[in-house]
């Protein structure tokens, strides 16, 4: 259950932040899956993380005009460290947990796919839309390798 | 058919003196000092050569104060063209069947001469697309003129290629002549030209789009809107404009400035981070640390999960297997990102400065103007074609690469054909000169044309007990022999070019003092080669300028004797 990931021993601010970020992932993960269709846990986690961080950017270096190397460009555009990713992983996992239980997404073997009733249109920028589309055709190994070497 | 009929010299007092020419060989005979080489150069001048800036004709002794102009009459089918040119090279006049044709410049003059060569316009277009510039018959005169100075050269054997403007063009012309993919290359070049035009337009659109984004942001900040338009959040922009119009933007001007300051600060941090990143190549250590941290957190996430523990374990396995080594990411990409970040930082700072210095934004009139400009800018932005310039650039690069590959492939059949033709011409003089007869006693003797270096290379077959039959280069150091081989190169090339109706080539060959390198016994070789050329190419004219009598060269025509003109030389009005 998602409460397994929720550390009640942490401060009130952490608990508030956990719920806030969790709710954002509940919003983002189905949107990402609506573009990718199906994804491994690792790819979904990394792509959702970058998509969420990109939405927080005040100004963006890249736009819909950019068509190539979007994973690398997205990584360069956002300010993240491995700690940011590891800190948000429990929140992402909790969001996935809740979404599976509410049948918004489904587990199919090693992969996760969109459930019924997921809307096709997204609320990401054209750049992030392109980035998610690019990632759906890249291998999991490549994406993880780039993330681990570039954060 | 293009045929030079007369060259009429016009003196300063208006007197006229005609030289008459015929098809085939024209022999201009004259002892030393009668101006044969001047005549040779003057023919090129009348065919459109640019006057020399260092030695203009009116200042030369042969011309000064005696010769004013000349007229060249050319027959073209049923028409007779008269090309008039003053010796200072400044005044031109052209008549077709006695009717004046407008001609104001040397360019017009050359255009009209070029039009008489009957080359199809699409062939000229292919030539231009291939060579990269519009080449006229003037560039091809490199094949028409063999001067005295360059006689006996086998490497880079066209005499005019000693001039820079011709030497730069010659390799491209030879590439064109000996390539079998000319049509394909021209088609690709055509496609690339269209794409270049598209790229130009797309880049203009992108610049316009960047300009409009800046303008919109400037006006938004003037209206105290906290919204920043990035180029793709157009729905948010409309909402922000509506808020400004309704005056419902609750944010204060101070908050907006603060927002911009925050954005600028974030961008400054980004610039420093990217700076560090560009310099930092320690990705391997980073990978190990990052991997350990991520595995640890994933292990805790998977712990006690039923639904998707399998998915998490698969991810962990994958992370464990990532190999160490340099990242796929390119340093260029990081440098490009850094450049972009610096530009964005500069933009934010200038926007911030403008906002801090701007006049009172609450002024109603100013707000209305800003809203008007915003509406206009947004509608313009929406109408801009948002196609991507990088894709067009990539396609152009691909086309260029393909073209370079195709251009590098020579048509061996054509190269063999021209080599055979050169050898055939040389064989024609083996009866009249010992030099060639001697050469053909060597087994398998032949002369090859080498495109690289534009060289003529005689070779023979050598038999060796160790290596068997082997073709070896056979260059005997004889000036006369080399001069004969070079002449064969010229005649073979002219025949080869005249057989291709798609090339802008004057059907004539001008040779200055060909007998110079020869003793009396070998001179007849020149006649054998040129007679053969004239027999095989009935539409061509040959102009020989020499001090030897034509019979000495084995040519049986009556010459034009320069010593018998009123002035005793090429310029009939010249006074010693």
């Amino acid at each position: 259950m998602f409460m397994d990931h929720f550390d009640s021993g942490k401060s009130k601010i952490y608990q508030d932040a956990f719920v806030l970020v969790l709710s954002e992932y509940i919003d983002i993960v189905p949107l990402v899956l609506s573009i990718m269709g199906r994804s491994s846990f690792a790819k979904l986690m990394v792509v959702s993380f970058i998509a969420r961080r990109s939405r927080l950017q005040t100004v963006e270096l890249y736009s819909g005009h950019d068509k190539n190397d979007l994973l690398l460009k997205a990584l360069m555009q956002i300010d993240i460290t491995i700690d940011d990713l590891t800190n948000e992983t429990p929140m992402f996992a909790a969001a996935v947990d809740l979404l599976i239980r509410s049948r918004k997404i489904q587990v199919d073997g090693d992969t996760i796919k969109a459930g019924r009733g997921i809307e096709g249109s997204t609320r990401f920028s054209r750049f992030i839309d392109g980035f998610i589309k690019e990632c759906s055709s890249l291998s999991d190994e490549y994406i993880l390798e780039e993330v681990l070497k570039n954060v | 058919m293009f045929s030079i009929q007369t060259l009429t010299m016009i003196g300063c007092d208006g007197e006229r003196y005609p030289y008459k020419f015929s098809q085939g060989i024209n022999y201009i005979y004259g002892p030393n000092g009668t101006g044969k080489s001047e005549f040779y150069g003057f023919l090129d001048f009348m065919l459109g050569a640019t006057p020399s800036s260092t030695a203009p004709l009116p200042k030369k002794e042969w011309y000064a104060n005696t010769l004013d102009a000349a007229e060249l009459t050319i027959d073209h089918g049923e028409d007779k063209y008269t090309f008039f040119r003053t010796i200072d090279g400044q005044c031109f006049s052209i008549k077709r069947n006695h009717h004046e044709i407008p001609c104001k410049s040397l360019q017009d003059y050359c255009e009209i001469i070029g039009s008489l060569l009957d080359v199809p316009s699409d062939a000229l277009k292919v030539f231009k697309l291939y060579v990269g510039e519009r080449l006229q018959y003037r560039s091809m005169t490199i094949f028409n003129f063999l001067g005295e100075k360059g006689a006996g050269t086998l490497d880079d054997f066209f005499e005019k290629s000693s001039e820079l403007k011709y030497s730069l063009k010659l390799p491209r012309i030879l590439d064109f002549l000996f390539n079998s993919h000319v049509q394909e290359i021209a088609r690709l070049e055509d496609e690339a030209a269209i794409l270049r035009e598209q790229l130009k337009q797309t880049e203009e659109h992108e610049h316009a789009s960047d300009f409009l984004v800046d303008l919109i942001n400037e006006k938004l900040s003037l209206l105290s809107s906290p919204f920043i338009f990035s180029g793709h959040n157009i729905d948010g922009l409309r909402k922000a404009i509506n808020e400004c119009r309704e005056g419902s933007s609750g944010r204060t001007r101070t908050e907006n400035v603060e927002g911009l300051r925050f954005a600028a600060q974030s961008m400054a941090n980004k610039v420093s981070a990217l700076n560090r990143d560009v310099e930092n190549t320690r990705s391997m250590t980073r990978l190990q640390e990052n991997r350990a941290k991520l595995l640890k957190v994933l292990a805790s996430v998977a712990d006690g999960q039923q639904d998707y523990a399998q998915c998490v374990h698969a991810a962990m396995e994958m992370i464990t297997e990532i190999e160490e080594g340099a990242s796929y990411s390119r340093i260029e990409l990081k440098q490009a990102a850094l450049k972009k970040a610096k530009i964005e930082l500069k933009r934010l700072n200038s926007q911030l400065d403008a906002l801090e210095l701007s006049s009172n934004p609450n002024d109603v009139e100013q707000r209305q103007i800003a809203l008007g400009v915003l509406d206009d800018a947004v509608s313009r932005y929406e109408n801009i074609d948002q196609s991507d310039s990088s894709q067009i650039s990539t396609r152009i690069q691909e086309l260029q690469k393909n073209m370079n590959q195709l251009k590098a492939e020579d048509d061996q059949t054509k190269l063999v054909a021209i080599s055979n033709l050169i050898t055939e011409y040389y064989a024609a003089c083996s009866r009249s000169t010992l030099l060639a007869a001697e050469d053909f006693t060597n087994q398998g003797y032949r002369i090859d044309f080498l495109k690289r270096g534009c060289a003529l290379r005689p070779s023979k077959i050598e038999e060796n007990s160790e290596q068997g039959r082997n073709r070896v280069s056979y260059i005997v150091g004889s000036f006369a022999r080399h001069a004969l081989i070079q002449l064969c190169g010229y005649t073979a090339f002219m025949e080869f070019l005249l057989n291709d109706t798609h090339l802008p080539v004057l059907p004539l060959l001008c040779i200055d003092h060909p007998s110079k390198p020869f003793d009396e016994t070998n001179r007849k070789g020149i006649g054998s080669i040129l007679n053969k050329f004239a027999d095989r190419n009935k539409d061509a004219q040959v102009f020989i300028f020499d001090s030897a009598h034509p019979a000495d060269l084995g040519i049986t025509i009556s010459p034009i004797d320069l010593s018998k003109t009123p002035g005793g030389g090429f310029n009939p009005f010249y006074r010693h």
Side-chain angles (χ1 to χ4, degrees), chain B residues 217-262:
Chain B
N217 282 325
E218 188 193 318
K219 295 301 168 197
L220 283 172
S221 66
L222 201 69
L223 291 164
S224 308
S225 168
F227 186 81
I228 294 176
F229 181 48
S230 62
H232 43 70
N233 47 354
I234 196 124
D235 291 337
L237 174 66
R238 284 205 195 89
K239 199 176 159 196
I241 294 173
N242 282 338
E243 281 174 0
C244 293
R245 187 167 278 121
E246 290 159 12
S248 61
S249 176
R251 315 285 173 99
T252 66
R253 174 180 163 73
T254 320
E255 278 172 334
N256 194 18
V257 173
E258 285 307 316
L260 260 177
R261 274 202 193 116
F262 175 71

Short mmCIF file of all heavy atoms in Angstrom, two decimals, chain B residues 217-262:
data_model
loop_
_atom_site.label_atom_id
_atom_site.label_comp_id
_atom_site.label_asym_id
_atom_site.label_seq_id
_atom_site.Cartn_x
_atom_site.Cartn_y
_atom_site.Cartn_z
N ASN B 217 6.74 39.02 -24.33
CA ASN B 217 7.18 39.03 -22.93
C ASN B 217 7.41 40.45 -22.43
O ASN B 217 7.12 40.78 -21.27
CB ASN B 217 8.43 38.18 -22.76
CG ASN B 217 8.09 36.71 -22.73
OD1 ASN B 217 7.05 36.32 -22.21
ND2 ASN B 217 8.93 35.89 -23.32
N GLU B 218 7.95 41.28 -23.30
CA GLU B 218 8.21 42.68 -22.92
C GLU B 218 6.89 43.38 -22.58
O GLU B 218 6.76 44.06 -21.56
CB GLU B 218 8.91 43.38 -24.08
CG GLU B 218 9.41 44.76 -23.76
CD GLU B 218 9.79 45.48 -25.04
OE1 GLU B 218 10.41 44.86 -25.92
OE2 GLU B 218 9.43 46.66 -25.15
N LYS B 219 5.88 43.16 -23.46
CA LYS B 219 4.59 43.82 -23.24
C LYS B 219 3.88 43.24 -22.01
O LYS B 219 3.22 43.96 -21.27
CB LYS B 219 3.68 43.68 -24.47
CG LYS B 219 4.21 44.38 -25.71
CD LYS B 219 4.40 45.86 -25.48
CE LYS B 219 5.19 46.50 -26.59
NZ LYS B 219 5.73 47.81 -26.25
N LEU B 220 4.05 41.93 -21.81
CA LEU B 220 3.43 41.31 -20.62
C LEU B 220 4.02 41.90 -19.35
O LEU B 220 3.29 42.19 -18.39
CB LEU B 220 3.65 39.79 -20.64
CG LEU B 220 2.78 38.98 -21.59
CD1 LEU B 220 3.25 37.53 -21.63
CD2 LEU B 220 1.31 39.02 -21.17
N SER B 221 5.34 42.10 -19.36
CA SER B 221 5.95 42.65 -18.15
C SER B 221 5.52 44.09 -17.94
O SER B 221 5.34 44.54 -16.82
CB SER B 221 7.46 42.51 -18.21
OG SER B 221 7.96 43.32 -19.22
N LEU B 222 5.29 44.81 -19.05
CA LEU B 222 4.82 46.18 -18.95
C LEU B 222 3.42 46.22 -18.34
O LEU B 222 3.06 47.16 -17.62
CB LEU B 222 4.78 46.79 -20.36
CG LEU B 222 4.79 48.29 -20.46
CD1 LEU B 222 6.14 48.83 -20.01
CD2 LEU B 222 4.54 48.72 -21.90
N LEU B 223 2.65 45.16 -18.61
CA LEU B 223 1.28 45.08 -18.07
C LEU B 223 1.26 44.40 -16.71
O LEU B 223 0.21 44.02 -16.21
CB LEU B 223 0.39 44.30 -19.04
CG LEU B 223 0.11 45.00 -20.37
CD1 LEU B 223 -0.43 44.03 -21.39
CD2 LEU B 223 -0.86 46.15 -20.18
N SER B 224 2.46 44.22 -16.14
CA SER B 224 2.61 43.61 -14.80
C SER B 224 2.10 42.18 -14.73
O SER B 224 1.66 41.72 -13.68
CB SER B 224 1.87 44.44 -13.74
OG SER B 224 2.27 45.75 -13.82
N SER B 225 2.12 41.47 -15.88
CA SER B 225 1.69 40.07 -15.83
C SER B 225 2.87 39.20 -15.44
O SER B 225 3.97 39.39 -15.96
CB SER B 225 1.17 39.65 -17.21
OG SER B 225 1.01 38.26 -17.23
N PRO B 226 2.66 38.25 -14.55
CA PRO B 226 3.78 37.37 -14.15
C PRO B 226 4.05 36.28 -15.19
O PRO B 226 5.01 35.55 -15.08
CB PRO B 226 3.28 36.74 -12.86
CG PRO B 226 1.79 36.74 -12.99
CD PRO B 226 1.42 37.93 -13.82
N PHE B 227 3.18 36.21 -16.18
CA PHE B 227 3.29 35.12 -17.16
C PHE B 227 4.51 35.31 -18.07
O PHE B 227 4.80 36.43 -18.49
CB PHE B 227 2.01 35.08 -18.01
CG PHE B 227 1.94 33.91 -18.94
CD1 PHE B 227 1.55 32.66 -18.50
CD2 PHE B 227 2.30 34.05 -20.27
CE1 PHE B 227 1.51 31.58 -19.36
CE2 PHE B 227 2.27 32.98 -21.14
CZ PHE B 227 1.87 31.74 -20.68
N ILE B 228 5.19 34.22 -18.34
CA ILE B 228 6.30 34.28 -19.31
C ILE B 228 5.98 33.35 -20.48
O ILE B 228 5.74 32.16 -20.28
CB ILE B 228 7.65 33.88 -18.66
CG1 ILE B 228 8.03 34.93 -17.62
CG2 ILE B 228 8.75 33.79 -19.72
CD1 ILE B 228 9.26 34.61 -16.84
N PHE B 229 5.95 33.94 -21.65
CA PHE B 229 5.62 33.16 -22.86
C PHE B 229 6.89 32.50 -23.38
O PHE B 229 7.90 33.16 -23.62
CB PHE B 229 5.04 34.12 -23.91
CG PHE B 229 4.64 33.44 -25.19
CD1 PHE B 229 3.87 32.28 -25.19
CD2 PHE B 229 5.02 33.97 -26.43
CE1 PHE B 229 3.49 31.66 -26.37
CE2 PHE B 229 4.64 33.35 -27.61
CZ PHE B 229 3.88 32.20 -27.57
N SER B 230 6.82 31.14 -23.51
CA SER B 230 8.03 30.44 -23.94
C SER B 230 7.98 30.07 -25.42
O SER B 230 8.92 29.50 -25.96
CB SER B 230 8.19 29.16 -23.12
OG SER B 230 7.08 28.33 -23.36
N GLY B 231 6.84 30.33 -26.08
CA GLY B 231 6.74 29.99 -27.50
C GLY B 231 5.74 28.88 -27.73
O GLY B 231 5.23 28.73 -28.83
N HIS B 232 5.44 28.09 -26.69
CA HIS B 232 4.49 27.01 -26.91
C HIS B 232 3.32 27.02 -25.93
O HIS B 232 2.36 26.29 -26.10
CB HIS B 232 5.19 25.65 -26.89
CG HIS B 232 6.19 25.51 -25.78
ND1 HIS B 232 5.81 25.43 -24.49
CD2 HIS B 232 7.54 25.49 -25.81
CE1 HIS B 232 6.89 25.33 -23.74
NE2 HIS B 232 7.96 25.37 -24.51
N ASN B 233 3.41 27.83 -24.88
CA ASN B 233 2.29 27.88 -23.92
C ASN B 233 1.30 28.97 -24.34
O ASN B 233 1.03 29.91 -23.59
CB ASN B 233 2.81 28.09 -22.50
CG ASN B 233 3.85 29.20 -22.42
OD1 ASN B 233 4.26 29.74 -23.46
ND2 ASN B 233 4.26 29.56 -21.23
N ILE B 234 0.77 28.80 -25.55
CA ILE B 234 -0.07 29.86 -26.14
C ILE B 234 -1.42 29.97 -25.43
O ILE B 234 -1.97 31.07 -25.32
CB ILE B 234 -0.21 29.63 -27.66
CG1 ILE B 234 -0.72 30.88 -28.36
CG2 ILE B 234 -1.11 28.47 -28.00
CD1 ILE B 234 0.16 31.35 -29.46
N ASP B 235 -1.93 28.84 -24.91
CA ASP B 235 -3.22 28.91 -24.19
C ASP B 235 -3.07 29.74 -22.92
O ASP B 235 -3.93 30.57 -22.59
CB ASP B 235 -3.71 27.50 -23.84
CG ASP B 235 -4.11 26.74 -25.10
OD1 ASP B 235 -4.41 27.42 -26.11
OD2 ASP B 235 -4.09 25.50 -25.08
N GLY B 236 -1.96 29.47 -22.24
CA GLY B 236 -1.68 30.25 -21.02
C GLY B 236 -1.51 31.72 -21.35
O GLY B 236 -1.94 32.61 -20.58
N LEU B 237 -0.91 31.99 -22.50
CA LEU B 237 -0.70 33.38 -22.91
C LEU B 237 -2.04 34.09 -23.11
O LEU B 237 -2.25 35.21 -22.64
CB LEU B 237 0.12 33.40 -24.21
CG LEU B 237 0.30 34.77 -24.86
CD1 LEU B 237 1.14 35.69 -23.98
CD2 LEU B 237 0.95 34.65 -26.23
N ARG B 238 -2.96 33.39 -23.78
CA ARG B 238 -4.28 34.00 -24.03
C ARG B 238 -4.96 34.32 -22.71
O ARG B 238 -5.56 35.39 -22.53
CB ARG B 238 -5.16 33.04 -24.84
CG ARG B 238 -4.77 33.01 -26.29
CD ARG B 238 -5.95 32.59 -27.15
NE ARG B 238 -5.44 32.23 -28.47
CZ ARG B 238 -5.02 31.02 -28.80
NH1 ARG B 238 -5.08 30.03 -27.93
NH2 ARG B 238 -4.54 30.78 -30.00
N LYS B 239 -4.84 33.39 -21.77
CA LYS B 239 -5.45 33.59 -20.46
C LYS B 239 -4.82 34.81 -19.77
O LYS B 239 -5.53 35.67 -19.21
CB LYS B 239 -5.22 32.33 -19.61
CG LYS B 239 -6.15 32.21 -18.43
CD LYS B 239 -5.89 30.88 -17.74
CE LYS B 239 -6.42 30.96 -16.31
NZ LYS B 239 -5.90 29.90 -15.49
N ALA B 240 -3.48 34.87 -19.87
CA ALA B 240 -2.77 35.99 -19.23
C ALA B 240 -3.18 37.33 -19.86
O ALA B 240 -3.37 38.33 -19.15
CB ALA B 240 -1.27 35.79 -19.37
N ILE B 241 -3.36 37.33 -21.18
CA ILE B 241 -3.75 38.59 -21.85
C ILE B 241 -5.17 38.99 -21.41
O ILE B 241 -5.44 40.16 -21.13
CB ILE B 241 -3.68 38.43 -23.39
CG1 ILE B 241 -2.23 38.23 -23.83
CG2 ILE B 241 -4.26 39.65 -24.10
CD1 ILE B 241 -2.03 37.89 -25.29
N ASN B 242 -6.03 37.98 -21.31
CA ASN B 242 -7.40 38.28 -20.86
C ASN B 242 -7.39 38.87 -19.46
O ASN B 242 -8.12 39.80 -19.15
CB ASN B 242 -8.26 37.02 -20.90
CG ASN B 242 -8.69 36.73 -22.33
OD1 ASN B 242 -8.70 37.64 -23.18
ND2 ASN B 242 -9.00 35.48 -22.61
N GLU B 243 -6.55 38.27 -18.63
CA GLU B 243 -6.46 38.78 -17.25
C GLU B 243 -5.99 40.23 -17.26
O GLU B 243 -6.51 41.07 -16.52
CB GLU B 243 -5.48 37.93 -16.43
CG GLU B 243 -6.09 36.64 -15.95
CD GLU B 243 -5.07 35.74 -15.25
OE1 GLU B 243 -3.89 36.15 -15.17
OE2 GLU B 243 -5.45 34.65 -14.82
N CYS B 244 -5.00 40.52 -18.12
CA CYS B 244 -4.50 41.89 -18.21
C CYS B 244 -5.60 42.83 -18.71
O CYS B 244 -5.78 43.94 -18.23
CB CYS B 244 -3.32 41.97 -19.17
SG CYS B 244 -1.88 41.12 -18.58
N ARG B 245 -6.36 42.32 -19.70
CA ARG B 245 -7.41 43.16 -20.29
C ARG B 245 -8.49 43.46 -19.26
O ARG B 245 -9.01 44.58 -19.18
CB ARG B 245 -8.00 42.44 -21.50
CG ARG B 245 -8.96 43.29 -22.29
CD ARG B 245 -9.29 42.67 -23.63
NE ARG B 245 -8.27 42.96 -24.62
CZ ARG B 245 -7.57 42.07 -25.28
NH1 ARG B 245 -7.77 40.79 -25.05
NH2 ARG B 245 -6.68 42.43 -26.16
N GLU B 246 -8.82 42.46 -18.47
CA GLU B 246 -9.88 42.66 -17.47
C GLU B 246 -9.34 43.33 -16.21
O GLU B 246 -10.10 43.64 -15.30
CB GLU B 246 -10.49 41.31 -17.09
CG GLU B 246 -11.33 40.70 -18.20
CD GLU B 246 -11.48 39.19 -18.03
OE1 GLU B 246 -11.14 38.70 -16.94
OE2 GLU B 246 -11.91 38.53 -18.98
N GLY B 247 -8.04 43.51 -16.19
CA GLY B 247 -7.43 44.13 -15.00
C GLY B 247 -7.51 43.24 -13.78
O GLY B 247 -7.46 43.69 -12.65
N SER B 248 -7.67 41.91 -14.02
CA SER B 248 -7.87 41.01 -12.89
C SER B 248 -6.56 40.42 -12.40
O SER B 248 -6.54 39.58 -11.52
CB SER B 248 -8.81 39.88 -13.28
OG SER B 248 -8.23 39.16 -14.33
N SER B 249 -5.44 40.84 -13.02
CA SER B 249 -4.17 40.31 -12.55
C SER B 249 -3.88 40.85 -11.16
O SER B 249 -3.68 42.04 -10.99
CB SER B 249 -3.07 40.72 -13.52
OG SER B 249 -1.86 40.29 -13.01
N GLY B 250 -3.94 39.97 -10.22
CA GLY B 250 -3.79 40.40 -8.84
C GLY B 250 -2.37 40.69 -8.44
O GLY B 250 -2.11 41.30 -7.40
N ARG B 251 -1.43 40.27 -9.28
CA ARG B 251 -0.04 40.45 -8.89
C ARG B 251 0.37 41.91 -9.00
O ARG B 251 -0.10 42.63 -9.86
CB ARG B 251 0.87 39.62 -9.79
CG ARG B 251 0.39 38.22 -10.03
CD ARG B 251 0.63 37.38 -8.81
NE ARG B 251 0.03 36.06 -8.95
CZ ARG B 251 0.70 34.98 -9.29
NH1 ARG B 251 1.97 35.05 -9.52
NH2 ARG B 251 0.11 33.82 -9.38
N THR B 252 1.25 42.29 -8.18
CA THR B 252 1.75 43.67 -8.25
C THR B 252 2.97 43.70 -9.14
O THR B 252 3.57 42.68 -9.46
CB THR B 252 2.14 44.17 -6.85
OG1 THR B 252 3.24 43.37 -6.44
CG2 THR B 252 1.01 44.08 -5.86
N ARG B 253 3.34 44.90 -9.49
CA ARG B 253 4.52 45.11 -10.32
C ARG B 253 5.77 44.57 -9.62
O ARG B 253 6.63 43.94 -10.23
CB ARG B 253 4.64 46.62 -10.56
CG ARG B 253 5.87 47.06 -11.26
CD ARG B 253 5.78 48.56 -11.41
NE ARG B 253 7.07 49.11 -11.71
CZ ARG B 253 7.68 48.98 -12.86
NH1 ARG B 253 7.11 48.32 -13.84
NH2 ARG B 253 8.86 49.53 -13.07
N THR B 254 5.80 44.77 -8.30
CA THR B 254 6.95 44.31 -7.53
C THR B 254 7.09 42.80 -7.62
O THR B 254 8.18 42.27 -7.83
CB THR B 254 6.81 44.71 -6.05
OG1 THR B 254 6.26 46.00 -6.01
CG2 THR B 254 8.11 44.62 -5.32
N GLU B 255 5.92 42.11 -7.53
CA GLU B 255 5.95 40.65 -7.60
C GLU B 255 6.49 40.19 -8.96
O GLU B 255 7.22 39.22 -9.05
CB GLU B 255 4.54 40.08 -7.40
CG GLU B 255 4.17 39.98 -5.94
CD GLU B 255 2.71 39.59 -5.77
OE1 GLU B 255 1.90 39.89 -6.68
OE2 GLU B 255 2.41 39.00 -4.74
N ASN B 256 6.09 40.93 -10.02
CA ASN B 256 6.53 40.56 -11.36
C ASN B 256 8.04 40.70 -11.50
O ASN B 256 8.72 39.84 -12.04
CB ASN B 256 5.80 41.45 -12.37
CG ASN B 256 5.95 40.90 -13.77
OD1 ASN B 256 6.28 39.74 -13.92
ND2 ASN B 256 5.71 41.73 -14.75
N VAL B 257 8.56 41.81 -10.97
CA VAL B 257 10.00 42.03 -11.00
C VAL B 257 10.70 40.92 -10.22
O VAL B 257 11.70 40.37 -10.66
CB VAL B 257 10.36 43.43 -10.43
CG1 VAL B 257 11.87 43.58 -10.30
CG2 VAL B 257 9.80 44.52 -11.31
N GLU B 258 10.10 40.57 -9.09
CA GLU B 258 10.69 39.51 -8.26
C GLU B 258 10.71 38.18 -9.02
O GLU B 258 11.68 37.43 -8.96
CB GLU B 258 9.90 39.34 -6.95
CG GLU B 258 10.15 40.45 -5.92
CD GLU B 258 11.63 40.63 -5.64
OE1 GLU B 258 12.35 39.63 -5.48
OE2 GLU B 258 12.08 41.80 -5.64
N GLY B 259 9.60 37.93 -9.71
CA GLY B 259 9.51 36.69 -10.50
C GLY B 259 10.61 36.63 -11.54
O GLY B 259 11.26 35.60 -11.70
N LEU B 260 10.80 37.75 -12.21
CA LEU B 260 11.85 37.80 -13.23
C LEU B 260 13.23 37.63 -12.61
O LEU B 260 14.09 36.94 -13.17
CB LEU B 260 11.80 39.14 -13.97
CG LEU B 260 11.10 39.15 -15.32
CD1 LEU B 260 11.08 40.55 -15.87
CD2 LEU B 260 11.80 38.22 -16.30
N ARG B 261 13.39 38.26 -11.45
CA ARG B 261 14.70 38.13 -10.76
C ARG B 261 14.98 36.67 -10.43
O ARG B 261 16.09 36.18 -10.60
CB ARG B 261 14.67 38.94 -9.46
CG ARG B 261 15.05 40.36 -9.69
CD ARG B 261 15.54 41.02 -8.41
NE ARG B 261 15.58 42.44 -8.67
CZ ARG B 261 14.85 43.35 -8.07
NH1 ARG B 261 14.03 43.00 -7.11
NH2 ARG B 261 14.94 44.62 -8.40
N PHE B 262 13.90 35.98 -9.97
CA PHE B 262 14.05 34.57 -9.61
C PHE B 262 14.44 33.76 -10.86
O PHE B 262 15.35 32.92 -10.81
CB PHE B 262 12.73 34.05 -9.01
CG PHE B 262 12.76 32.58 -8.72
CD1 PHE B 262 13.52 32.07 -7.67
CD2 PHE B 262 12.04 31.69 -9.51
CE1 PHE B 262 13.56 30.71 -7.42
CE2 PHE B 262 12.09 30.33 -9.27
CZ PHE B 262 12.84 29.84 -8.21
#
